[in-house]
Amino acid sequence: MQTIIGKEERLNYAAELIRSGEVVAFPTETVYGLGADALNGNAVRKIFEAKGRPADNPLIVHISAPGQVNSVAQNVSELAFKLFQKFSPGPLTLVLKKAPAVPLITTGGLGTVGVRIPRHPLALKLIEACGRPIAAPSANRSGRVSPTEAAHVLEDMDGKIPLILDGGKTEVGIESTVLDLTKEIPVILRPGAITAKMLSEILPKVIDHKGEVIIAEAPGMKYRHYSPTKPCIAALDPESAAGKYDEVLSGGIIPVIIGREDFVLAGKRENHISLGKTVEECMSSLFSALRSAEKKYGYIILQYFSEPEYFSLDNRIKKAAGGEILGRTLQ
Ligand code: TXA
Ligand code: MG
């Protein structure tokens, strides 16, 4: 199959493909998604095949307005509507009780469904144009870093899908916050740009009595994610990053340091990639920095922030580094 990349002028073609049971990659504000008709089991099966995704890892269903939630979920609470009103369209996925119309293949066999209203105009237009809820995981091959540009999707999906809708570089850069509302106390299954602190304006209980965030793990988080194809380690301070850099270099392998601008400048090593100055900039450039680093260098040293507002970013960094963090002081 030939994979083409098209801009907004291909929107109607994309909608037609989805209506006829095919898979199309499209941009959201977080990362690119690999979309198919969420209510068509055969179409959804093609997503799992193209990604090489384990069948027990549920997909997120994308809708374009809160009014559509009852077509994919049931017993939707007032609280869910309040959250949608406050944070949608935007990077928040709510786990709700599944409606019978949603096939089990979409939800990885679960009785619940993740629902989200993306903010990217092309995503919203696509959902409206095809008139269906769109099931979409991130458009990377399973285990790879999520794509934040159409070219990243092509790297992973060339020949596997007919069309990639190109909406430019994604704005947020890491995947949506997944919040499970089917438990007595709402639980964050995957941290993202909508933080526990932001949610706590509406949901005081997402923070427990000790002031700690209640976090569990989404089914998909048990798989190794975000793994670059080169060895990767995280470092807490520029000195330990530079020390590792020198050690790797003396072994004949070319390393790179990736981090916030102040971190890579303090590391004072030739090969470095600055993610930017703010948490938003760092989020939006992490995945593309990882993809370019693995092509050019033999070893990746990533800044681990350990600052509260970088919590969601650290979550992805820890996964990329396989949990290995240099410079951690033991207490
Ligand atoms: O930002 C995003 O969420 C992107 C864009 C494309 O919308 N999508 C995305 O999908 O990251 P994916 O499939 O790569 O990750 C979805 C995560 C997985 O960890 C999955 O296990 C969890 O959400 N999830 C989905 N439905 C769930 C459910 N019913 N119960 C618990 N976890 C669920
Ligand atoms: Mg993913």
Side-chain angles (χ1 to χ4, degrees):
M1 181 187 303
Q2 205 203 336
T3 303
I4 61 167
I5 299 191
K7 297 221 160 100
E8 186 161 0
E9 70 273 5
R10 292 289 191 167
L11 189 82
N12 286 333
Y13 175 49
E16 227 172 80
L17 284 169
I18 289 192
R19 271 197 304 266
S20 62
E22 297 303 325
V23 174
V24 170
F26 65 99
T28 81
E29 80 283 21
T30 56
V31 299
Y32 275 74
L34 202 56
D37 180 348
L39 307 182
N40 176 345
N42 285 327
V44 169
R45 182 167 302 113
K46 294 181 188 169
I47 297 181
F48 282 88
E49 283 166 10
K51 267 190 79 97
R53 180 170 175 117
D56 66 349
N57 192 359
L59 307 182
I60 292 173
V61 174
H62 298 69
I63 56 175
S64 59
Q68 293 157 14
V69 69
N70 289 313
S71 65
V72 292
Q74 54 184 323
N75 306 339
V76 182
S77 63
E78 272 303 302
L79 193 63
F81 281 106
K82 264 198 200 159
L83 286 162
F84 274 136
Q85 248 155 37
K86 173 119 182 121
F87 297 108
S88 291
L92 177 66
T93 298
L94 299 181
V95 173
L96 305 164
K97 187 168 192 286
K98 176 182 102 58
V102 179
L104 281 170
I105 183 170
T106 303
T107 62
L110 297 174
T112 58
V113 60
V115 185
R116 122 171 168 84
I117 307 175
R119 187 163 67 203
H120 196 293
L122 263 188
L124 290 169
K125 282 183 192 166
L126 179 62
I127 299 164
E128 306 231 304
C130 69
R132 323 262 150 111
I134 298 182
S138 50
N140 51 286
R141 265 185 291 120
S142 206
R144 298 270 292 126
V145 174
S146 294
T148 56
E149 293 173 30
H152 299 165
V153 181
L154 191 66
E155 280 173 11
D156 283 18
M157 292 295 155
D158 198 9
K160 296 196 162 92
I161 58 172
L163 176 67
I164 300 168
L165 268 184
D166 184 353
K169 193 170 170 304
T170 63
E171 167 207 341
V172 176
I174 66 168
E175 307 85 345
S176 63
T177 304
V178 179
L179 179 71
D180 188 349
L181 288 183
T182 66
K183 303 278 150 50
E184 206 184 310
I185 297 178
V187 177
I188 295 176
L189 300 181
R190 180 175 69 184
I194 307 283
T195 61
K197 195 164 166 229
M198 291 156 80
L199 291 169
S200 69
E201 274 180 46
I202 291 187
L203 282 180
K205 278 194 177 152
V206 84
I207 308 269
D208 73 11
H209 60 282
K210 286 186 288 188
E212 283 171 7
V213 182
I214 301 169
I215 294 185
E217 207 162 70
M221 302 297 269
K222 69 174 179 278
Y223 298 106
R224 187 145 190 244
H225 266 73
Y226 319 110
S227 20
T229 53
K230 297 290 166 54
C232 183
I233 201 163
L236 270 169
D237 54 84
E239 295 71 35
S240 45
K244 190 69 186 177
Y245 183 104
D246 296 343
E247 179 196 321
V248 169
L249 193 60
S250 69
I253 295 169
I254 312 290
V256 62
I257 298 179
I258 302 177
R260 199 169 54 203
E261 188 180 279
D262 56 329
F263 186 93
V264 297
L265 292 181
K268 297 202 188 79
R269 291 300 179 274
E270 184 183 344
N271 303 323
H272 60 261
I273 301 175
S274 165
L275 296 174
K277 292 183 177 158
T278 64
V279 62
E280 289 80 14
E281 286 170 7
C282 290
M283 264 190 203
S284 106
S285 51
L286 176 70
F287 290 159
S288 67
L290 285 174
R291 280 192 184 248
S292 46
E294 68 184 16
K295 288 188 201 112
K296 235 175 126 183
Y297 303 105
Y299 196 99
I300 300 169
I301 304 160
L302 262 177
Q303 177 180 9
Y304 187 81
F305 293 88
S306 80
E307 296 164 31
E309 63 277 31
Y310 285 77
F311 181 82
S312 305
L313 201 58
D314 277 346
N315 169 273
R316 300 331 191 256
I317 289 163
K318 230 188 302 181
K319 294 219 166 223
E324 227 188 310
I325 303 171
L326 279 173
R328 188 189 273 292
T329 36
L330 298 170
Q331 318 192 354

